[in-house]
Structures are given as C-alpha cells and as structure tokens.
Amino acid sequence: MSSTASRSSVFAWLVCEGRPPVPLGPKSQVTIGRSGDCDLVLNDAQVSRLQGTIKVDAACESAIYRDCDSSNGSFLNGEEVSESPVRPGDVLTLGPFEVRVQPVVAWLCSGLMAPIPLGVARTLRIGRSKDCDVVIRDPGVSRHQASIEVEGGQLFFVDAGSSNGSFVNGRRVEGRRTLAVGDALHFGPYELVLRSSEDLRAQEELEQELTRPLSPGLSTGLLSELSVAQLLQQLHLDARTGSLRLVSGPQQGLVVFESGRPVYARFGILRDEAALLSLLELEDGRYTFLADVDDSEGERTLEAEVPAILIRHAARRDEDRRDEARGRGGDEVATVRTPRPGPPPGGGA
C-alpha cells in the first residue's frame, strides 16, 4: 500500500471471509492477487498473481478498481470490468472469492485504545474472555458481556444476559436495542462511545493544530509525541505551577501542580492517585498546560510526589505483564482499561 490511512480517513474496507480487512485510505493503492506481496492475498489458482488494484483519491471520496490483465477477469456486482468506480456496498468477485467494499458505520472509541471501526465485521463481541473482540479485564464484566451487530447499515446492541448488566447512556439494556452515533456504552467502570468518521476527522485536524507552544504560559501538544509520564516528569523537574488538562476522545482529565508537585487530579470518577495512575495509561489525545490554577478545582488532597507515582505505575504494568504471561484465569487479558468518566451507570442519560 502506498500510504497509511489515518484512523478516520477511510473510504471503506475490503472484507473477504477468512482474511484480515484492508482499509482503503486517501491516496492509497491497494493491490489484490495471489502473490504474497499483495495487500489482500487471495491464494487460489483462479486468481492472478496481481489480479487488480483499487486507488482512492486524496479527498477519500472516490475509488477506482483496475483489472491488471488477469487470466479469469474481475467482476463488480456481477458484471465483468476492466476499470470501474467502486462504492461502499459493492461486491467484487475474483475467482472463487467475494470481496465486499464495506463502509464504516461508526467508530467505537475509548481513551485507552485505538478507535475500532464498526461495520467491517458483522458482529463485535465485548467481554472478559480473551476470545472477545474487545477484552475488558474487570470482575464486574462477564466473560461474554455483550455484542454490537450490524444489519443493513444499522447498529444494534445486544446484552448476552450478563450478570451485572450493560448500560447505554446510563440505562440498563436487556436484550437488543438500536445504537446511534453519540451513544455511550457502560460496562462496569468502563465507557465506550460511538463516534462518526467526521467527528474523528475534526478531532485529528484540531490535534494537528495544537502541537506547538503558544506562549510562555500556555503549551499544548499530542500525547503520541509526548507521553503523560514525560509531561509529569518535565513539570516536576521544572517546578511548574499550573493546570495540566488531558483530552483523549470523549474523556478528560486534570492534574493541578504547585511548584512541580501534583496536588489534585481527576479522571472521570477517579480522583488523586487513582486518577493519575489511570491518566498514565493514555496514549492518544492531546494535552494543554496553563500556567494558572483554578482555585475552584477540588481540594488539594494529593500528597504523592511524581517519582513515587511513576514507580507505582511501572510496578502495576509489570504485574499486568506477569498476569498476562501466566494467563491468570485463562481469560483475563487487559486490552481495554478505560476508567469511565461521569456518573455511574443508572445516573441518567
């Protein structure tokens, strides 16, 4: 593939049963064929080594399929083609394979994992068991908690009869219900939010703008370029006073510093040291440090120094790695660890 798509700039996905889906991103040229060098490998004698290519325009609004003089031809929606536009919903027949051009209906977002496209797979399973697509290691989450299903471009949430229940927008769900962009899914202390491609694209554009120091008293940037641990260390070493705000998807956190020492922290329902330890897990999003302290922001109850917090965080990560290596319980592997902001489930929509 000639370029790598950003998480939201995806025209569609190529989906073929038994193979990993392939994103069609801006300016990309995806190769399809029998050769192992292709982006989508279809290993069958009826498929040429290079069967065809799909090229997406720079605006990610259109795509063209070109047959590369294949032996048995390429068929789009049942008609043989040598070159033709392809659209979300189209089906390519290449030898014995059907390749769907699958649109993204929405994205499942959390501050501690990359956004997951919904619509690429017909069913996305969520639970504590490691055979789920989204694994949440928490005793309040069932082995197979729930699933998100896609039918005709519509999303449906299905609770799998979990013991503690699943919540959408703060209300418990029993059975099946429709989902829409903006809905928040709650599993124990975790929250996952449905967002549109447009929302994610706007956030990416904003993050790209907020990457340089703006003034001596205000600096901002991306967590992918400067980690939370690095930020805390720098503010500690520089003995800074001010407010560090962290935004990752729908989640927001705050750490108040006085002379390089954190005196207050919050992240969703978490406060102080628990909030800091969870904020250290963030890998995606942006930060803003303002050399000013809002006195209305909580009581100054945090007493731990930054080095001690970082040591405790490193110890917790080491313990998680050991747990994963041992395969404790056979199914408790942490792939999503997202403290939920806002009120607990049942606290209103």
Side-chain angles (χ1 to χ4, degrees), residues 13 35 135 145 149 164 185 217 229 234 257 272 308 328:
W13 294 69
S35 171
V135 180
Q145 176 86 16
E149 299 177 352
N164 292 324
L185 317 181
Q234 193 63 53
F257 280 83
D272 293 339
R328 179 180 294 175

Side-chain angles (χ1 to χ4, degrees), residues 136 138-141 186-191 251 269-270 338-341 345:
I136 303 176
D138 188 273
V141 177
H186 302 145
F187 308 101
Y190 300 86
E191 179 182 80
Q251 303 194 99
I269 62 175
L270 302 177
T338 313
R340 179 176 65 82

Side-chain angles (χ1 to χ4, degrees), residues 120-152:
V120 178
R122 290 189 174 92
T123 302
L124 185 82
R125 299 168 299 167
I126 303 169
R128 198 177 76 247
S129 174
K130 62 183 179 182
D131 65 2
C132 292
D133 302 297
V134 177
V135 180
I136 303 176
R137 193 183 80 169
D138 188 273
V141 177
S142 298
R143 286 171 52 83
H144 299 98
Q145 176 86 16
S147 62
I148 297 175
E149 299 177 352
V150 183
E151 292 181 10

Side-chain angles (χ1 to χ4, degrees), residues 247-265:
V247 178
S248 183
Q251 303 194 99
Q252 299 185 30
L254 170 72
V255 186
V256 176
F257 280 83
E258 290 182 356
S259 300
R261 186 172 68 87
V263 294
Y264 172 76

Side-chain angles (χ1 to χ4, degrees), residues 122-258:
R122 290 189 174 92
T123 302
L124 185 82
R125 299 168 299 167
I126 303 169
R128 198 177 76 247
S129 174
K130 62 183 179 182
D131 65 2
C132 292
D133 302 297
V134 177
V135 180
I136 303 176
R137 193 183 80 169
D138 188 273
V141 177
S142 298
R143 286 171 52 83
H144 299 98
Q145 176 86 16
S147 62
I148 297 175
E149 299 177 352
V150 183
E151 292 181 10
Q154 175 65 58
L155 297 172
F156 296 90
F157 181 87
V158 183
D159 182 80
S162 58
S163 55
N164 292 324
S166 304
F167 296 77
V168 175
N169 302 327
R171 296 182 179 179
R172 183 163 184 165
V173 175
E174 295 181 358
R176 194 173 194 246
R177 63 153 285 174
T178 57
L179 290 174
V181 168
D183 283 345
L185 317 181
H186 302 145
F187 308 101
Y190 300 86
E191 179 182 80
L192 307 174
V193 178
L194 271 65
R195 305 184 68 192
S196 67
S197 295
E198 292 75 15
D199 287 343
L200 286 187
R201 195 172 296 118
Q203 179 183 329
E204 289 173 354
E205 291 172 356
L206 180 61
E207 289 173 352
Q208 289 171 4
E209 295 176 4
L210 300 177
T211 55
R212 297 181 179 87
L214 302 180
S215 71
L218 174 65
S219 60
T220 184
L222 301 180
L223 294 178
S224 58
E225 297 177 358
L226 194 64
S227 70
V228 176
Q230 290 171 320
L231 283 167
L232 297 183
Q233 286 176 316
Q234 193 63 53
L235 294 171
H236 170 71
L237 293 172
D238 293 346
R240 298 294 299 272
T241 295
S243 301
L244 175 65
R245 296 184 182 275
L246 303 158
V247 178
S248 183
Q251 303 194 99
Q252 299 185 30
L254 170 72
V255 186
V256 176
F257 280 83
E258 290 182 356

Side-chain angles (χ1 to χ4, degrees), residues 70-88:
S70 63
S71 302
N72 294 313
S74 300
F75 296 81
L76 179 65
N77 301 325
E79 305 235 348
E80 187 169 8
V81 294
S82 57
E83 181 174 319
S84 175
V86 291
R87 300 173 181 83

